[in-house]
Amino acid sequence: AQSVTQLGSHVSVSEGALVLLRCNYSSSVPPYLFWYVQYPNQGLQLLLKYTSAATLVKGINGFEAEFKKSETSFHLTKPSAHMSDAAEYFCAVRTGDDKIIFGKGTRLHILP
Amino acid sequence: DAGVIQSPRHEVTEMGQEVTLRCKPISGHNSLFWYRQTMMRGLELLIYFNNNVPIDDSGMPEDRFSAKMPNASFSTLKIQPSEPRDSAVYFCASSLDLAENTGELFFGEGSRLTVL
């Protein structure tokens, strides 16, 4: 069965520092992978998605993620963190039976 | 274009009462999902519909939960009777059609349920 694992329920970085949020997936079929962001008291919104085209995917707000099949990873990065990036981030995978399954989430804290 | 609309945004009820959560998906979207979010369990998929037909309800916790989609523009999630452990934020999300696209979901703002 397909699943995603996010390493670290909380990550803190200083403003201006590199953001790295980790996601590993398991999938028996070529995966569709997603990163979503959730701001307080809001629903989730799509940051970026991988659909078997380019392995480096660029999303909104300066985020990008790289699909690495050999490592079964889809880590999210941003070169320079901004205070407005503080939120919860979810990695997700589309399963073979068309479900979208989410990881447990990583809360990103930005330190001034 | 309006996004996914959920109501009520907040609901406080007493144990044993019936709760009905409502969702209006984005017009033209054929797939609709109900998720539950808690601190302990994260985002759990409860049920999803395609073309108004329930496809998979294996995530529905027990018989107290039921969901319907009588038409393409409306869905309900009902809990009867409610229990304190049902307290959570319930999200509805819609998608164009999972079978024909990448499956990007559009979420509503959620319904926060508190059962006392």
Side-chain angles (χ1 to χ4, degrees):
Chain A
Q2 289 95 335
S3 65
V4 289
T5 302
Q6 293 184 241
L7 300 177
S9 58
H10 292 266
V11 169
S12 295
V13 302
S14 298
E15 191 173 18
L18 171 72
V19 175
L20 171 61
L21 304 182
R22 300 177 187 273
C23 172
N24 288 90
Y25 70 92
S26 67
S27 177
S28 57
V29 299
Y32 286 167
L33 295 163
F34 309 84
W35 276 100
Y36 283 80
V37 61
Q38 184 181 30
Y39 298 102
N41 299 314
Q42 295 186 24
L44 283 70
Q45 62 185 82
L46 184 70
L47 266 182
L48 50 79
K49 60 185 177 185
Y50 168 75
T51 59
S52 75
T55 57
L56 183 62
V57 182
K58 294 187 183 299
I60 61 172
N61 302 338
F63 283 92
E64 61 183 35
E66 186 172 8
F67 172 71
K68 291 187 177 180
K69 185 177 180 180
S70 61
E71 299 177 7
T72 62
S73 69
F74 190 56
H75 301 331
L76 181 71
T77 61
K78 181 174 180 177
S80 177
H82 191 272
M83 295 299 290
S84 61
D85 295 326
E88 189 154 19
Y89 293 80
F90 293 88
C91 184
V93 64
R94 175 185 166 183
T95 66
D97 55 355
D98 297 332
K99 300 178 187 180
I100 306 291
I101 304 299
F102 288 85
K104 295 288 190 187
T106 298
R107 187 167 295 278
L108 177 64
H109 304 271
I110 309 298
L111 307 174
Chain B
D1 191 15
V4 175
I5 299 172
Q6 292 187 245
S7 64
R9 290 293 313 277
H10 302 273
E11 174 95 6
V12 180
T13 190
E14 293 188 346
M15 182 174 63
Q17 296 298 305
E18 178 179 294
V19 173
T20 299
L21 308 178
R22 297 172 177 79
C23 175
K24 176 178 169 55
I26 293 173
S27 177
H29 282 193
N30 293 332
S31 298
L32 183 139
F33 300 74
W34 283 100
Y35 286 88
R36 178 172 67 175
Q37 185 177 37
T38 60
M39 290 287 291
M40 293 297 294
R41 302 172 70 93
L43 266 169
E44 302 173 275
L45 177 62
L46 301 178
I47 185 171
Y48 75 102
F49 298 81
N50 199 47
N51 293 320
N52 312 337
V53 176
I55 303 300
D56 189 327
D57 65 355
S58 59
M60 296 286 261
E62 47 197 275
D63 292 345
R64 298 185 296 106
F65 285 70
S66 62
K68 294 182 179 179
M69 192 164 186
N71 57 62
S73 59
F74 184 65
S75 177
T76 59
L77 178 67
K78 186 174 292 186
I79 308 172
Q80 166 64 18
S82 58
E83 296 182 4
R85 59 192 168 122
D86 302 330
S87 298
V89 181
Y90 291 81
F91 286 102
C92 176
S94 69
S95 178
L96 275 171
D97 189 316
L98 283 189
E100 297 182 8
N101 65 66
T102 60
E104 175 183 351
L105 298 181
F106 294 80
F107 281 79
E109 294 191 313
S111 294
R112 182 176 296 275
L113 173 65
T114 303
V115 183
L116 304 174

